[in-house]
Amino acid sequence: MNVNQQPHIATPYGQPPLQGYQVYGQPGYGGPHATPYGPYNGHNAAYQQDAPPQPPGPGRVPPSSGTPPVSAPGYDQYPQGEVQNGPALIASQPPRPPASQAYAQVPVTLPATQPLYHQQYQAPPTSTQQVTNQMAGMQIGTAPSQAGPYAPPTSSHLPSSTAFPTPGNPSYTSQAVPPSQPPPNVGVQQGPHPPTYGGPPHVPQQPFPGSALPPVSQQSFPTAPTPSTQASLGAPPLPQPYGGGPPVSAHSQFPGSLPPHQAAVSQPSPYRSAPPPTGFTPSGGAPAPARPTPGMHGPPFPPQSVSAPPGPQPNHIGAPPMQLGVPAGPPTGPLPQQNGAFGQMRGPQPGYGAPYPGQPNFGSQPQAPAPAPPAQKRLDPNSIPSPIQVIEDDKASKSGEVFMTGVRGQAPPLVTTPFQVKDQGNASPHFIRCTAYNMPCTSDMAKQSQVPLAAIIKPLATLPENEGPLPIVDHGESGPIRCNRCKAYMCPYMQFIEGGRRFQCAFCSCVTEVPPHYFQHLDHTGKRVDCYERPELSLGSYEFLATVEYCKNNQLPQPPAFIFLIDVSYNAVRSGMVAVVCEELRTLLDTLPSEPGTDCPIRVGFVTYNKVLHFYNVKSSLAQPQMLVVSDVADMFVPLLDGFLVTVGESRTVINSLLQQIPEMFADTRETETVFGPVIQAGLEALKAADCAGRLFIFHSTLPIAEAPGKLKNREDKKLVGTDKEKSLFQPQVSFYGNLAKECVAQGCCVDLFLFPNQYVDVTTLGAVPCSTGGSVYKYAHFQQAQTDRDRFLNDLRRDVKKQMGFDAIMRVRTSTGIRATDFFGSFYMSNTTDVELAGLDCDKTITVEFRHDDKLCEDTGALLQCAVLYTSCRGQRRLRIHNLAVNCCSQLAELYRHCETDALVNFFAKYAYRSVLSSPTKTVRDSLVNQCAQILACYRKNCASPSSAGQLILPECMKLLPVYLNCVLKSEVLQPGGDASLDDRAYLRQLVSCMDVAESHAFFYPRLLPLHKLDVEGRALPTAVRDSEERLSRDGLYLLENGLSLFLWVGVAAPPDLLRSVFDVSAFSEINPNMTSLPTLDNPFSKRLHEIIEMFREQRSRYMKLMVVKQEDRLEPLFKHFLVEDKSSNGGASYVDFLCHMHKEIRQLLS
């Protein structure tokens, strides 16, 4: 649904109530057309926080005169007055409450264009239907999929007379005028109801006696609808008219009340389960008996307590309802301009008026021209689900707690929440995160939901100090205990039988004999008495020492070797790269990775190259290093064996001499051409000659255009961007590098590439070998020795060389009967359909695995997966690392939607989309992503949410942030490049995201934005982040943005001089140097704390983040604004608000 184009649905965003005040809605007066109502512009002193809660009456009528009646006490079962995140957009903005507070479930509206003076209206309505005519709009909220015991009774008839539009017109064409009183403040219900996003007019019932009403001014206005309080996990009612005619089912929604519900003819679904609706408790009376809704079956879920406001819940906010759309009417003001990715039309004012010339009116009644408005209001982004609110709520409820992995199928805390893990038989979330922790039992159910079933696995993840390292199990020469049939390794899920003499495999149910040396008796529960003494029987993650049967050629492996290959062409020398690399290696070689308590056994070798290759003999017996030149690059070979690969300790003096001489030897070179393919071949041949695995560190600067295998040409053509031929730009130019990668994987040769380009170098092709061997690509455009990238490069190099790695690795994922691994994403090579082969596997790499059904799953046993990685450690030891995970299975779609992880879903969608650009145009990929997301949400709407009007957008609780995060993926430069995005940058990001873990992809697509001017220098807590939108920035503020690759320090033009002195040691905004890449170290608490925060952020990421200072309204600000992902982007990407409207439109089309 498109807010700028479709005027027939009331807008979703309005003003939240002021914090601490209980506010009440007011019914309205008017004729057949409902009157628009706008933002709340101030609170009434009569409305205090301790005002009595609203009774659960379905409707209230306005008083004609006099003081309001006193409400009946005792109906406070729904929480009231919860505070929402962010400031209300009113003339005088109140202070923004902490983001960790819950949202108020507030009906909000987009004000139509209207005069600000008071108008006299017709007499008050005398019937329910007249009140109904003034109620319209679409509510936004989030729908917990669990049905609660509180559901409204049904009504078997439509109102006898309503003022709906004529047939053929949509059900929501009413207009509204701004109220003089604040909208109602409705508490968030955590369980029973799916909050709804929009809908047609609702039919209120007659009020109960004694309902409270606030004082009214000269005019009264309609009460805005509030979220539905009914949740049923089943099929929706029969299709309702989306484009015209009155709705088949409509019900009123009022704050603090259980709305009556019109009869909905539901279709039975195999995945439904809903409680019978409950009756109302009229004021001063007993509860009315419940009447069942047709089509609802199954026992009710356990009742949930609603007597008090709910505490913070993981991944939950109670988003206020929003009304999407615009009142119908002719355009006012200047002609619109095209805006957004979906063709929205937006006027010069940041509001949304009536339909524009040439745009369809979608059935709204023709109306007389409205008077020109003095100004248009903007819709309120506070009314839609906030990522910051969800993150803060999860931190508040789970931060610092110990996550016990013993419960099958429980979702872990969010990646943004710090937590500890206690391994009780399932792998830590540090190793494995899933898109869904409750898998559907059947393939039909999985296809219906369209939720991808995938696991993001980080096999060698670095554990916190209080959790690691993993225990190593040594079974001696017999090796690990395995299932005879499927070869699964011993794990806590294996069932021992016959007194412990045999065990039944949990994956394939095969029975295997227990070896005599492994036998142990069982206790009275059927467990081995040594269960908790053996890691493989009690933990989810552990390692086995592998025997020679697990080694190539049945021989134990040699320790790996590191070979450094340095480009010494003209560009590389002139930029200072050669000197920087050689200087750093002299100290870096002392920190090669090794295991605690052991000497480093890694050998090193050195090669330089331009059009030819130079090998160096650094044998310890030599006084000076020797150079051997290979000019026949078409048939590469290693000219020496003895003396090329040496240990650092033995040849320290010769190595230092070589690294000192290399910059001097090539200081005057004029050779500009380079080779690249033969460079990798040289390192590969050296490892083959040494019969070991290893890593190649290649430092390269230019496109390899010299005559040699793997020669490339400049193919950057921006005319192809956006065409069907664009996909060819993401594919390697030549097949040479693909074949070379296959050879590297077979030898265990992992390639890490450091690029220093000044122009196009074809990252797609040069990165093919690193991406197939488990290596990494680093890119430093326009590198200058004395400039900003030096620190970034050196820190990246140090971390890359030092980090723990496995070599010559093979990974296989086994699953229990019913599902199987079908697709894999990451930096690896596959020669068959089951084994993931990695020449190198480091602690930062992830492999994403997608699962599909091949049989039915059982709810009782759940589903199991076991990830086994066979690798060679840095000391040359062959090991098996095992990760086990058990998830639940469900036969109801509601259970699937209740146990999903949005961050993991977005990680999967991004990798799937970034791989798809190799075979499809980017527009096709974007459309496919939007369509799948719409199908996921439409399936939930159809099968899990309450039967409700067609215009309502309902989001599952666990996926309320899916639209905003998916929009960030769609707007990324890979899928939607801007005018300044180079092909190399897009290829680099595509390869980078392919092996990101969930935490890094979250920061990459939705950066963290901290208001540093709110920093408490005395405490250790960080200030609460703000949403990524320009309107959240204050002109007198200081903000730090980090996205995992860069840091931006944004300085407002009105920042206080004291703040500037504390950070930059200057007293005026104009004195700040925008070219600085590091902050001065000052002797004040604020400066010290800021430096600590920056270093902490850098330690959390796998790549060093360069700091850039951005002054407001300066040249770097457009780059900074590119990462404010909730706003419309310069490359045409839609804003969060616009995309949510578009997503609603897609869902409605699917449902119709």
Side-chain angles (χ1 to χ4, degrees):
M1 189 219 62
N2 189 316
V3 294
N4 292 324
Q5 229 173 338
Q6 300 187 18
H8 61 290
I9 305 180
T11 60
Y13 317 97
Q15 308 301 338
L18 287 178
Q19 180 177 0
Y21 289 91
Q22 181 70 40
V23 290
Y24 297 83
Q26 302 178 21
Y29 302 88
H33 298 289
T35 55
Y37 44 96
Y40 161 50
N41 291 317
H43 71 274
N44 189 313
Y47 304 140
Q48 298 301 326
Q49 191 168 5
D50 55 355
Q54 292 295 303
R60 295 186 291 277
V61 295
S64 57
S65 63
T67 58
V70 180
S71 64
Y75 301 102
D76 58 349
Q77 58 177 340
Y78 295 102
Q80 301 277 347
E82 296 186 350
V83 182
Q84 79 178 40
N85 180 32
L89 297 181
I90 52 181
S92 175
Q93 294 193 0
R96 180 170 179 265
S100 59
Q101 302 184 36
Y103 267 13
Q105 196 86 351
V106 185
V108 287
T109 65
L110 172 68
T113 60
Q114 73 279 339
L116 297 181
Y117 51 83
H118 292 285
Q119 301 180 15
Q120 186 64 37
Y121 293 107
Q122 301 176 13
T126 57
S127 70
T128 297
Q129 288 73 28
Q130 289 187 24
V131 177
T132 302
N133 299 337
Q134 301 168 42
M135 315 288 304
M138 177 173 111
Q139 305 171 351
I140 251 195
T142 52
S145 55
Q146 178 174 354
Y150 302 101
T154 60
S155 173
S156 60
H157 61 87
L158 282 169
S160 56
S161 65
T162 55
F164 287 111
T166 57
N169 291 334
S171 310
Y172 14 108
T173 58
S174 57
Q175 291 184 319
V177 229
S180 58
Q181 299 295 339
N185 184 5
V186 184
V188 183
Q189 298 187 36
Q190 298 283 3
H193 69 285
T196 51
Y197 292 55
H202 303 287
V203 185
Q205 302 300 309
Q206 293 301 323
F208 295 122
S211 59
L213 282 172
V216 295
S217 60
Q218 180 182 1
Q219 55 178 339
S220 297
F221 300 89
T223 302
T226 66
S228 164
T229 53
Q230 176 183 1
S232 66
L233 310 178
L238 289 176
Q240 303 180 28
Y242 287 83
V248 175
S249 166
H251 56 81
S252 67
Q253 298 173 329
F254 288 92
S257 67
L258 291 169
H261 188 75
Q262 301 297 335
V265 183
S266 299
Q267 300 299 323
S269 165
Y271 311 123
R272 74 181 291 121
S273 171
T278 59
F280 293 110
T281 306
S283 177
R291 287 178 288 177
T293 300
M296 291 187 175
H297 307 287
F301 286 96
Q304 300 182 15
S305 171
V306 290
S307 60
Q313 295 193 6
N315 200 19
H316 178 84
I317 56 172
M322 77 174 180
Q323 299 182 330
L324 285 174
V326 236
T332 57
L335 288 176
Q337 59 191 21
Q338 192 72 16
N339 179 35
F342 309 108
Q344 299 94 320
M345 305 297 293
R346 175 170 295 178
Q349 294 294 334
Y352 296 82
Y356 297 105
Q359 298 300 314
N361 208 17
F362 291 95
S364 56
Q365 302 276 2
Q367 310 217 355
Q376 290 184 347
K377 301 292 184 180
R378 234 202 114 178
L379 45 86
D380 183 11
N382 291 326
S383 307
I384 53 181
S386 163
I388 303 303
Q389 185 73 45
V390 173
I391 290 170
E392 293 300 320
D393 285 349
D394 196 69
K395 285 181 180 178
S397 61
K398 298 183 178 180
S399 179
E401 292 186 359
V402 178
F403 177 73
M404 302 291 187
T405 69
V407 180
R408 185 180 76 186
Q410 65 172 338
L414 300 183
V415 291
T416 50
T417 300
F419 63 97
Q420 298 180 7
V421 178
K422 175 66 174 176
D423 191 339
Q424 294 179 329
N426 282 310
S428 164
H430 297 306
F431 294 121
I432 303 179
R433 282 185 176 265
C434 294
T435 57
Y437 293 89
N438 211 331
M439 289 192 175
C441 285
T442 64
S443 59
D444 290 342
M445 189 176 166
K447 291 176 183 176
Q448 184 181 8
S449 72
Q450 287 290 307
V451 175
L453 306 177
I456 295 93
I457 305 174
K458 196 175 181 181
L460 301 185
T462 302
L463 292 175
E465 293 182 0
N466 55 357
E467 294 180 27
L470 295 186
I472 300 176
V473 180
D474 185 2
H475 285 310
E477 295 182 358
S478 60
I481 311 298
R482 305 177 68 179
C483 169
N484 279 344
R485 180 194 292 165
C486 69
K487 302 301 180 183
Y489 294 89
M490 180 58 65
C491 68
Y493 311 131
M494 301 297 190
Q495 182 65 44
F496 287 88
I497 56 177
E498 298 182 11
R501 285 183 284 273
R502 306 173 84 186
F503 70 90
Q504 185 175 27
C505 178
F507 297 89
C508 68
S509 300
C510 176
V511 175
T512 302
E513 294 284 343
V514 175
H517 72 274
Y518 196 69
F519 172 79
Q520 185 56 268
H521 294 286
L522 308 182
D523 62 14
H524 65 284
T525 64
K527 290 186 177 180
R528 287 170 55 118
V529 296
D530 64 348
C531 171
Y532 296 103
E533 300 171 8
R534 291 187 175 273
E536 73 273 20
L537 299 180
S538 59
L539 299 180
S541 300
Y542 43 87
E543 289 193 333
F544 290 118
L545 282 183
T547 56
V548 290
E549 288 81 7
Y550 294 86
C551 304
K552 286 182 179 179
N553 304 322
N554 287 337
Q555 293 182 353
L556 293 176
Q558 298 289 328
F562 286 5
I563 302 177
F564 299 89
L565 305 106
I566 306 170
D567 177 1
V568 290
S569 64
Y570 174 76
N571 285 329
V573 173
R574 188 185 63 171
S575 70
M577 180 269 285
V578 175
V580 170
V581 170
C582 291
E583 179 185 354
E584 178 63 25
L585 287 180
R586 295 171 65 180
T587 56
L588 186 59
L589 294 179
D590 292 327
T591 60
L592 296 179
S594 61
E595 296 186 3
T598 62
D599 294 332
C600 178
I602 295 176
R603 293 173 291 171
V604 296
F606 302 90
V607 174
T608 57
Y609 66 93
N610 39 49
K611 287 175 65 174
V612 298
L613 276 74
H614 322 104
F615 293 80
Y616 295 93
N617 184 348
V618 286
K619 194 173 182 180
S620 58
S621 58
L622 298 176
Q624 290 291 327
Q626 296 177 348
M627 175 195 289
L628 294 91
V629 179
V630 176
S631 57
D632 185 6
V633 292
D635 186 16
M636 183 50 57
F637 65 97
V638 180
L640 76 160
L641 296 178
D642 188 26
F644 178 67
L645 292 178
V646 298
T647 60
V648 177
E650 294 177 353
S651 302
R652 161 63 63 193
T653 304
V654 185
I655 291 175
N656 283 346
S657 176
L658 170 65
L659 294 174
Q660 188 174 356
Q661 293 176 32
I662 287 177
E664 299 171 0
M665 282 190 290
F666 299 98
D668 299 325
T669 183
R670 290 293 178 264
E671 184 57 69
T672 58
E673 293 185 354
T674 61
V675 296
F676 187 73
V679 178
I680 299 177
Q681 288 178 323
L684 174 61
E685 293 299 323
L687 295 178
K688 285 182 179 179
D691 192 22
C692 68
R695 300 177 70 183
L696 308 184
F697 298 87
I698 303 179
F699 306 91
H700 190 78
S701 65
T702 59
L703 189 72
I705 58 174
E707 286 298 331
K711 174 185 175 181
L712 302 178
K713 61 181 180 180
N714 190 330
R715 58 168 179 165
E716 186 174 32
D717 186 358
K718 291 200 172 183
K719 294 179 182 178
L720 299 181
V721 174
T723 69
D724 289 347
K725 293 183 179 180
E726 182 181 11
K727 59 190 177 185
S728 64
L729 300 178
F730 292 105
Q731 300 165 354
Q733 274 192 48
V734 292
S735 60
F736 170 82
Y737 292 101
N739 298 328
L740 183 57
K742 183 178 178 180
E743 294 181 40
C744 289
V745 171
Q747 180 58 38
C749 172
C750 174
V751 179
D752 284 334
L753 177 59
F754 295 81
L755 288 172
F756 305 85
N758 290 330
Q759 55 189 0
Y760 177 75
V761 292
D762 200 345
V763 173
T764 295
T765 305
L766 298 187
V769 176
C771 287
S772 297
T773 60
S776 303
V777 178
Y778 300 84
K779 183 170 175 286
Y780 312 91
H782 304 286
F783 179 86
Q784 296 294 329
Q785 179 177 359
Q787 295 299 322
T788 59
D789 277 328
R790 176 190 170 103
D791 288 340
R792 184 162 72 98
F793 162 61
L794 291 179
N795 280 278
D796 284 343
L797 176 60
R798 291 164 189 160
R799 193 179 192 283
D800 195 54
V801 170
K802 295 176 184 179
K803 62 187 175 185
Q804 292 294 325
M805 278 199 65
F807 298 90
D808 202 8
I810 299 178
M811 186 183 94
R812 177 175 288 193
V813 177
R814 295 177 174 86
T815 56
S816 55
T817 304
I819 57 171
R820 60 188 175 90
T822 58
D823 208 354
F824 301 85
F825 304 83
S827 294
F828 52 78
Y829 176 80
M830 294 187 72
S831 57
N832 55 46
T833 59
T834 57
D835 294 334
V836 176
E837 301 177 42
L838 304 110
L841 177 62
D842 62 52
C843 56
D844 299 322
K845 294 291 188 300
T846 63
I847 294 94
T848 301
V849 186
E850 185 179 13
F851 303 99
R852 295 190 186 276
H853 288 76
D854 56 11
D855 203 348
K856 288 185 178 180
L857 294 172
C858 176
E859 286 188 81
D860 295 334
T861 58
L864 307 176
L865 65 93
Q866 183 181 82
C867 168
V869 181
L870 176 65
Y871 71 97
T872 301
S873 70
C874 290
R875 59 182 290 188
Q877 198 174 53
R878 202 68 171 155
R879 295 180 183 172
L880 279 157
R881 176 165 289 204
I882 311 296
H883 298 298
N884 304 289
L885 185 66
V887 297
N888 286 331
C889 297
C890 59
S891 58
Q892 292 182 344
L893 283 169
E895 289 299 317
L896 167 64
Y897 282 98
R898 194 177 291 122
H899 295 90
C900 289
E901 184 178 344
T902 301
D903 293 326
L905 279 169
V906 173
N907 181 283
F908 174 84
F909 279 137
K911 292 174 180 177
Y912 185 86
Y914 281 17
R915 189 181 67 177
S916 297
V917 300
L918 296 175
S919 56
S920 302
T922 52
K923 184 182 186 305
T924 303
V925 175
R926 292 198 306 269
D927 293 344
S928 175
L929 270 184
V930 172
N931 182 59
Q932 184 167 2
C933 180
Q935 288 187 25
I936 291 172
L937 299 178
C939 176
Y940 176 84
R941 167 75 173 77
K942 179 179 180 181
N943 297 284
C944 305
S946 316
S948 53
S949 67
Q952 293 176 329
L953 172 60
I954 302 177
L955 297 178
E957 175 60 30
C958 288
M959 293 187 191
K960 73 175 82 175
L961 298 181
L962 185 58
V964 61
Y965 289 159
L966 189 72
N967 189 37
C968 298
V969 176
L970 295 172
K971 293 197 296 183
S972 62
E973 288 186 339
V974 176
L975 296 182
Q976 194 161 7
D980 56 347
S982 70
L983 177 59
D984 276 348
D985 288 337
R986 297 174 67 198
Y988 169 68
L989 292 176
R990 193 191 75 80
Q991 295 171 351
L992 191 62
V993 170
S994 68
C995 49
M996 274 187 178
D997 65 12
V998 179
E1000 289 184 322
S1001 66
H1002 176 273
F1004 179 77
F1005 290 113
Y1006 195 91
R1008 174 165 46 174
L1009 183 61
L1010 288 186
L1012 292 178
H1013 52 279
K1014 298 181 180 179
L1015 178 64
D1016 179 12
V1017 295
E1018 302 297 332
R1020 305 306 299 170
L1022 296 176
T1024 300
V1026 298
R1027 294 168 66 170
D1028 293 337
S1029 176
E1030 185 176 1
E1031 66 182 23
R1032 307 285 172 172
L1033 303 179
S1034 170
R1035 292 173 61 85
D1036 60 353
L1038 182 70
Y1039 296 84
L1040 182 66
L1041 182 144
E1042 70 104 1
N1043 68 347
L1045 299 180
S1046 301
L1047 285 168
F1048 295 91
L1049 187 64
W1050 186 89
V1051 188
V1053 69
D1058 290 345
L1059 182 63
L1060 299 182
R1061 278 192 291 268
S1062 298
V1063 178
F1064 303 102
D1065 199 20
V1066 299
S1067 56
F1069 176 81
S1070 59
E1071 298 175 16
I1072 299 174
N1073 177 13
N1075 297 319
M1076 67 170 61
T1077 58
S1078 62
L1079 299 176
T1081 304
L1082 305 176
D1083 189 17
N1084 66 73
F1086 193 95
S1087 176
K1088 293 177 181 178
R1089 182 71 179 120
L1090 178 55
H1091 279 270
E1092 290 176 3
I1093 292 173
I1094 292 174
E1095 289 308 310
M1096 178 181 68
F1097 283 4
R1098 285 171 170 164
E1099 290 174 2
Q1100 292 173 355
R1101 306 302 177 199
S1102 61
R1103 303 201 175 205
Y1104 185 85
M1105 295 185 290
K1106 179 177 71 173
L1107 177 68
M1108 286 180 273
V1109 175
V1110 180
K1111 298 171 65 176
Q1112 186 177 5
E1113 301 170 1
D1114 197 35
R1115 58 183 177 83
L1116 278 178
E1117 195 174 34
L1119 176 62
F1120 171 78
K1121 288 181 179 180
H1122 174 75
F1123 300 102
L1124 300 179
V1125 291
E1126 288 197 21
D1127 297 336
K1128 181 181 180 294
S1129 61
S1130 59
N1131 58 5
S1135 69
Y1136 175 20
V1137 168
D1138 292 343
F1139 182 73
L1140 192 64
C1141 298
H1142 176 73
M1143 184 59 61
H1144 179 232
K1145 176 183 174 183
E1146 294 289 322
I1147 293 170
R1148 291 183 58 201
Q1149 289 178 349
L1150 289 173
L1151 292 176
S1152 62

